[in-house]
Amino acid sequence: MADVPSRVTPQRIAAMTAGGWWKNETLEAYLDRWATERPTKPAIVDAMGRLTWQELARAAERVAHGLAAAGIGPGDVVSCQLPNCNEWIILALATIELGAVLNPIPPTYRANELRFILNALEARALVVPARFRNHDHAAMAVELRADTPSLRDVFVVRGSPGEGMRSFAWLTDTAWERREGRRPLAGTDPNAVSEVVFTSGTTGEPKGVMHTANTALAIVYPLVERLGFSERDVALMSSTFGHQTGYLYGYCLTLLLGSTGVWLDVWNAEEAARLIEAERVTYTMGATPFLQDLTYSPAVDQRDLASTIPTRKSSGPTAGRSPAWTSPWSETTARSCRPRAKAICWCAATRNSSGTGSAPSSRAMGIRPTGGSRPETVRCSTPTATWRSRVASRT
């Protein structure tokens, strides 16, 4: 990745820092902070268990040293095709500590897409589940290795690795951080590329979008301020971490807040309602159909959601700030669902095909306005919305 030209020039860094959009920090600093200040607070929860902030910090450090022991170093690309699970978070944080580059890949991609991505990035390692949604990812990785000469290691999560692969437990169950002769972890500069995520390739070949810690986190800071998020919040994330939806508003936002993230690997409205009640979820983020599925699910009547989800104002103008731009489609959907819902999600900030988004985060990414007040953004085919939970009475 060091040879790939970047638009993050010294001039851009100085301008964005002076404007307050970039804070020159990485998630590693937040992880260390929460592990010290709230060591026993639940950090991440999935179907297999939960980790506190202290446990998460220790696991990330161990995996980082394990990757280094496998020969992966700063600037090397680690591709990850895991569903939403705790191992994904551990791996992502480990790459930051190591100084490697994370390449999140949606778990629905198959051999052709992976072959293109792995070769384009010259990925050194690939992390996959053994099986997910009836697909044998380990077998697919065996097939890919012959066509991806740069790929040296494949780690398999929650299942048996194929020939020439390693179990992810090789990284998590060995005390690499205590091994004599281990090298210090390099960490990641906030202006160095730390993530590469690919576009869907709807109208052409997929394109790798490079992010630094500064460019990624700058998208999240305004959301925290506008919606008043805090460490008391609990996220439910079913949008894949392999897409920026899950990456930014599940992974990054939880790390910034020091709150709790609850992960759902396959969308199911009934399971989502159960988790909202059990984990006292306060917000989620995803495509509008998720909201509609949840609103019309019988589980809404069967679960005590009204007592677990706080009532909070979450959209509209705020004194001294410009109003958030919202998607009319998302707001209309929310209003149409409201009469039948106990708990609804109120659209607060969106990105859709017309290129809308909150002005602060668009400027923070260094996106230039096109003559009006709305910034130019990357076009995407599927609207996504951030919703803040709000209790609504029946009508």
Side-chain angles (χ1 to χ4, degrees):
M1 295 301 301
D3 298 331
V4 178
S6 170
R7 294 180 62 191
V8 183
T9 62
Q11 294 77 15
R12 172 64 62 84
I13 294 170
M16 302 309 287
T17 302
W21 310 118
W22 293 359
K23 298 185 179 181
N24 293 313
E25 56 189 15
T26 69
L27 292 179
E28 180 183 2
Y30 283 93
L31 177 63
D32 292 342
R33 176 182 174 184
W34 307 139
T36 300
E37 294 184 4
R38 52 195 73 157
T40 61
K41 176 183 173 66
I44 54 177
V45 180
D46 70 5
M48 300 295 289
R50 61 187 64 220
L51 293 175
T52 66
W53 282 105
Q54 185 177 74
E55 291 168 338
L56 177 58
R58 289 174 176 172
E61 180 189 18
R62 173 169 292 185
V63 170
H65 281 291
L67 291 171
I72 299 167
D76 288 339
V77 175
V78 178
S79 295
C80 174
Q81 203 196 17
L82 294 177
N84 291 6
C85 61
N86 289 345
E87 287 90 343
W88 193 103
I89 304 295
I90 293 170
L91 178 68
L93 291 168
T95 60
I96 297 174
E97 296 188 17
L98 181 60
V101 178
L102 180 69
N103 165 225
I105 302 173
T108 53
Y109 283 14
R110 296 298 178 251
N112 285 340
E113 292 93 342
L114 261 69
R115 186 178 295 107
F116 178 88
I117 291 172
L118 296 174
N119 283 324
L121 296 180
E122 298 183 351
R124 289 286 304 276
L126 172 65
V127 183
V128 296
R131 295 188 66 88
F132 180 64
R133 302 191 74 162
N134 298 319
H135 181 71
D136 193 332
H137 286 261
M140 180 175 67
V142 171
E143 174 190 343
L144 286 169
R145 297 195 78 168
D147 302 325
T148 51
S150 65
L151 191 62
R152 297 187 182 181
D153 285 288
V154 176
F155 297 95
V156 178
V157 172
R158 300 184 184 182
S160 300
E163 183 179 353
M165 304 178 187
R166 290 175 169 142
S167 169
F168 194 76
W170 184 84
L171 296 171
T172 59
D173 295 355
T174 304
W176 300 107
E177 74 280 9
R178 300 177 188 171
R179 290 286 181 99
E180 292 186 5
R182 67 186 182 281
R183 295 182 178 180
L185 298 173
T188 298
D189 186 288
N191 292 306
V193 175
S194 57
E195 180 212 10
V196 180
V197 61
F198 275 74
T199 63
S200 60
T202 304
T203 58
E205 283 191 343
K207 301 167 184 64
V209 180
M210 300 182 291
H211 268 293
T212 68
N214 270 330
T215 62
L217 296 182
I219 305 170
V220 186
Y221 296 137
L223 191 71
V224 174
E225 178 185 1
R226 182 172 296 278
L227 299 186
F229 284 114
S230 75
E231 74 281 358
R232 296 185 299 276
D233 281 298
V234 178
L236 173 64
M237 186 50 62
S238 55
S239 297
T240 175
F241 293 142
H243 184 276
Q244 288 299 84
T245 301
Y247 182 91
L248 292 173
Y249 304 109
Y251 164 56
C252 291
L253 184 55
T254 298
L255 263 292
L256 284 180
L257 299 173
S259 55
T260 301
V262 180
W263 318 135
L264 186 58
D265 57 356
V266 177
W267 171 249
N268 179 283
E270 287 70 29
E271 178 64 6
R274 185 192 72 80
L275 288 171
I276 290 171
E277 179 186 47
E279 302 294 340
R280 304 188 67 82
V281 168
T282 61
Y283 75 92
T284 188
M285 197 280 191
T288 305
F290 288 8
L291 166 60
Q292 196 162 16
D293 286 351
L294 183 60
T295 301
Y296 284 97
S297 170
V300 170
D301 295 318
Q302 299 162 3
R303 299 287 177 180
D304 182 15
L305 305 188
S307 66
T308 61
I309 303 179
T311 302
R312 301 182 186 180
K313 181 177 180 181
S314 61
S315 64
T318 302
R321 307 177 203 163
S322 59
W325 293 327
T326 59
S327 163
W329 178 39
S330 299
E331 289 188 357
T332 301
T333 302
R335 284 197 298 269
S336 68
C337 294
R338 193 184 309 172
R340 295 187 55 186
K342 287 182 181 177
I344 68 168
C345 297
W346 192 268
C347 178
T350 65
R351 186 187 75 167
N352 62 25
S353 58
S354 63
T356 63
S358 66
S361 60
S362 300
R363 286 190 61 188
M365 290 186 291
I367 298 172
R368 302 171 182 172
T370 56
S373 60
R374 298 173 64 168
E376 178 186 7
T377 64
V378 178
R379 297 175 66 88
C380 64
S381 57
T382 305
T384 60
T386 302
W387 302 297
R388 191 66 159 161
S389 302
R390 176 172 177 170
V391 175
S393 59
R394 288 181 175 276
T395 59

